[in-house]
Amino acid sequence: MTKKILSTLALSLAMLTASAQSQPNRLIVHQKSGGFTSYRISSVDSLSFYNVEGEVRADVKVNKFNSGETGDTLWVAVTKTPACSKYRIDVLPSVRVNAYSDDVIASYFNQQKASDFYDDFTNAQLTGFSTKFEADTKYTVFTLGYDQLGTPCEVSRAEIETPVGDIVGNPHVDCTVTNADYKALTFSFKPNEDVSSYYITIFPEGEGEKQFEQWGPMFGFANMSAMIKQFSGYGYEGEMEHTINGLNPGTDYDLYILPLDADGNNGKLQVTKCKTKAMGGEGKSVMTITVGEFADHGENGCAQTVTYTPNDQTNLHRDIIVDKAKFLDKDGTWKGDESKVIEYLQTPNPMDPNWDQYGEDVATWGVDANTTYIAYSIGQNAKGEWGDLAKKEFTTPAAGASAPAYAPTTSTVMKRIASAKAQKPGMAPAKTFIQLQEK
């Protein structure tokens, strides 16, 4: 380990301390995970940089898992690298751990006031979990290594999958689609005698796992079954016919069914493939764009209404407006590459509830006054074939009638008013009393 004193930084600190009345008097170190540490400059003697050779990591490997009446136990092997002085260890559902970077995991261990371990182990029992492991669920054992200065460094991870729990009988629900409309699907459910109740949730095809990866860390879902239960709202019993509304035309869906056995244990998760009736036809999709009312709300910005009308061959369409000035060279020459606009519109965006439009779309955009925009739209027929890109250029007036206030936008691609906001996964709840003992 080598040490290098940065005399210039120390001199700067001394100068700041001498003029504390008018200069900053705190030194703040910001972490990538979002936290920071603050020091009074008057109490800082010097700033130093150290060089630690090699990786600082505690490699972890899972040897065995056991779930019993006295609690859950993991047998693990942990091997520190030469530069690793100590480490901390914990276990969480994989969906949560996968959402955390090494910096976030360092913050996590700091928040939990986790125990420090200094020894290597070949087959140690890891016990003391605050909650029981769920069956048929992926978990990750993870360690964070610290150097001899106490610096949090690299993370090591090892994943396990708990076995399927004891299930009474073979709970299963037969499901058939009895009617497919443009925006609704009707299902017939027939559970067998081993089913006490069942839960259902529908997602666009292939989106179920993505939804789990997004919402699992935020709401504490350890597995897909937990999310299906939550999203279903309540369990159904016996045979029934049920209609799900609010779907998109001509769209493939996955209907998840979670049957429970007589003791309330989760059965095997089932998936029924289904599709709504497509709008339009097999001819060419053609879009028509009409520029409507403009409203100036003063300090609250401006609103522009644009109507996108599909022909009778169109199933879905996607619509935007862009600021023309963003696509002009300094001499006013057009430099826009509309192939990029087409590529952008043809790319799915499941996080935007306004992305796929069916029927006429009367959109209200956040705009600036006295500015030239281009409205674009492209439609897809019932066979999934895209039509030509439609466009209409317009310039907003200097003023307009007042209307309800909203938050304006200044991005190249304008945003619809009241569009959905993305959310970040939250930190998982704390675990306590983690023990590691060689057996």
Side-chain angles (χ1 to χ4, degrees), residues 366-387:
V367 296
D368 294 324
N370 196 28
T371 303
T372 300
Y373 294 94
I374 302 175
Y376 287 108
S377 180
I378 193 167
Q380 186 183 81
N381 68 9
K383 295 173 61 178
E385 299 170 338
W386 292 100

Side-chain angles (χ1 to χ4, degrees), residues 65 74 91-96 132-141 158-165 212 220-227 266:
F65 168 77
L74 279 167
V91 185
L92 289 174
S94 293
V95 68
R96 301 181 193 174
K132 184 176 176 60
F133 283 36
E134 296 191 31
D136 195 22
T137 301
K138 292 180 180 180
Y139 286 86
T140 295
V141 182
E159 188 174 72
I160 64 164
E161 187 167 359
T162 56
V164 177
F212 173 58
F221 302 136
N223 49 46
M224 280 285 292
S225 296
M227 186 179 74
N266 294 340

Side-chain angles (χ1 to χ4, degrees), residues 5-239:
I5 304 296
L6 300 188
S7 58
T8 55
L9 287 177
L11 177 61
S12 298
L13 285 174
M15 293 175 63
L16 287 173
T17 303
S19 56
Q21 295 298 323
S22 58
Q23 298 292 334
N25 57 12
R26 296 293 185 272
L27 171 66
I28 301 176
V29 179
H30 296 272
Q31 286 88 35
K32 288 183 178 180
S33 60
F36 66 89
T37 304
S38 176
Y39 304 90
R40 287 192 308 156
I41 289 179
S42 60
S43 66
V44 177
D45 175 69
S46 63
L47 295 179
S48 303
F49 283 99
Y50 291 80
N51 181 41
V52 176
E53 299 291 343
E55 292 186 326
V56 180
R57 190 179 64 253
D59 292 316
V60 61
K61 176 185 176 182
V62 178
N63 295 333
K64 180 183 175 183
F65 168 77
N66 182 64
S67 181
E69 294 181 359
T70 58
D72 299 309
T73 303
L74 279 167
W75 282 263
V76 300
V78 184
T79 305
K80 304 192 314 298
T81 60
C84 182
S85 175
K86 66 178 183 179
Y87 60 92
R88 292 176 177 177
I89 188 168
D90 205 345
V91 185
L92 289 174
S94 293
V95 68
R96 301 181 193 174
V97 182
N98 292 342
Y100 304 154
S101 66
D102 288 5
D103 291 318
V104 172
I105 286 178
S107 177
Y108 167 82
F109 275 119
N110 186 55
Q111 292 175 18
Q112 313 318 312
K113 295 181 171 35
S115 300
D116 294 329
F117 296 93
Y118 298 86
D119 299 322
D120 289 353
F121 294 95
T122 59
N123 194 38
Q125 283 188 352
L126 184 61
T127 58
F129 311 110
S130 59
T131 57
K132 184 176 176 60
F133 283 36
E134 296 191 31
D136 195 22
T137 301
K138 292 180 180 180
Y139 286 86
T140 295
V141 182
F142 56 102
T143 63
L144 176 67
Y146 292 80
D147 62 21
Q148 66 187 69
L149 298 174
T151 309
C153 297
E154 281 81 33
V155 172
S156 176
R157 309 171 189 232
E159 188 174 72
I160 64 164
E161 187 167 359
T162 56
V164 177
D166 295 330
I167 301 174
V168 180
N170 181 33
H172 182 84
V173 179
D174 288 332
C175 176
T176 57
V177 179
T178 59
N179 186 61
D181 208 338
Y182 294 112
K183 296 188 177 183
L185 289 168
T186 301
F187 301 90
S188 173
F189 298 95
K190 295 182 178 180
N192 66 12
E193 60 184 8
D194 294 330
V195 176
S196 61
S197 63
Y198 54 98
Y199 296 80
I200 59 174
T201 304
I202 198 167
F203 300 96
E205 185 179 43
E207 288 296 316
E209 288 289 344
K210 294 178 182 178
Q211 293 279 336
F212 173 58
E213 292 172 3
Q214 177 188 0
W215 301 114
M218 184 178 297
F219 292 106
F221 302 136
N223 49 46
M224 280 285 292
S225 296
M227 186 179 74
I228 299 305
K229 276 187 177 180
Q230 181 71 27
F231 285 6
S232 177
Y234 54 90
Y236 299 90
E237 297 180 0
E239 295 186 14

Side-chain angles (χ1 to χ4, degrees), residues 180-185 204-205 244-253 274-281 310 312-318 353 355-360 380-384:
D181 208 338
Y182 294 112
K183 296 188 177 183
L185 289 168
E205 185 179 43
I244 299 178
N245 296 294
L247 305 178
N248 292 329
T251 304
D252 292 299
Y253 285 93
C274 45
K275 186 175 184 176
T276 50
K277 184 178 178 181
M279 296 179 67
D312 60 358
Q313 300 301 301
T314 301
N315 176 41
L316 70 83
H317 55 99
R318 296 172 182 158
W355 193 235
D356 293 338
Q357 291 291 323
Y358 301 88
E360 187 173 76
Q380 186 183 81
N381 68 9
K383 295 173 61 178

